[in-house]
Amino acid sequence: MAEPTKFSTFFTTNNLNRDRLLAVSHKLETLQRSDRDLKLARQKAKGAEGGEKKVIAKPRSGRPVTERALNAAFAGGAISGPTKQRILRAVNYLLEQKKKDKVELRALF
């Protein structure tokens, strides 16, 4: 059997649950009304004359972590950068619930 990846060892040592991670990711990444308002404001600012750029916060992605991406993370397969960030957000949320410190991306991948 293949040796465990950094992500899988971290996951098991912190007693995290796969199903809980998927549910948390869905909760964190689901688009809300405020996100749609941000996207609309960004579109309007893009079309505004004068070339004035306003700093607008980034909305949620609207794309939760999938079972396939999680399986790839456990197997050590190729994962895109945005997917790694989504996994990191969900893991940090779960660690916060367990009263543990947040981790950085390098600790997982």
Side-chain angles (χ1 to χ4, degrees), residues 73-94:
F74 277 109
I79 305 170
S80 69
T83 303
K84 288 179 185 178
Q85 288 294 327
R86 289 183 209 119
I87 292 172
L88 176 68
R89 275 193 292 270
V91 166
N92 279 336
Y93 184 87
L94 290 175

Side-chain angles (χ1 to χ4, degrees), residues 21-90:
L21 182 99
L22 292 172
V24 164
S25 176
H26 185 270
K27 176 187 163 197
L28 292 175
E29 299 296 332
T30 301
L31 285 178
Q32 295 177 357
R33 182 67 193 166
S34 58
D35 300 317
R36 291 185 178 96
D37 292 340
L38 285 172
K39 286 185 177 186
L40 180 63
R42 181 171 285 167
Q43 283 180 339
K44 287 187 176 183
K46 195 174 190 180
E49 293 194 23
E52 188 177 319
K53 289 189 176 182
K54 296 180 183 177
V55 177
I56 299 175
K58 288 185 105 176
R60 290 174 182 81
S61 68
R63 294 177 162 208
V65 175
T66 61
E67 183 75 33
R68 181 179 178 190
L70 204 55
N71 290 338
F74 277 109
I79 305 170
S80 69
T83 303
K84 288 179 185 178
Q85 288 294 327
R86 289 183 209 119
I87 292 172
L88 176 68
R89 275 193 292 270

Side-chain angles (χ1 to χ4, degrees), residues 1-4 74:
M1 187 169 181
E3 65 182 64
F74 277 109

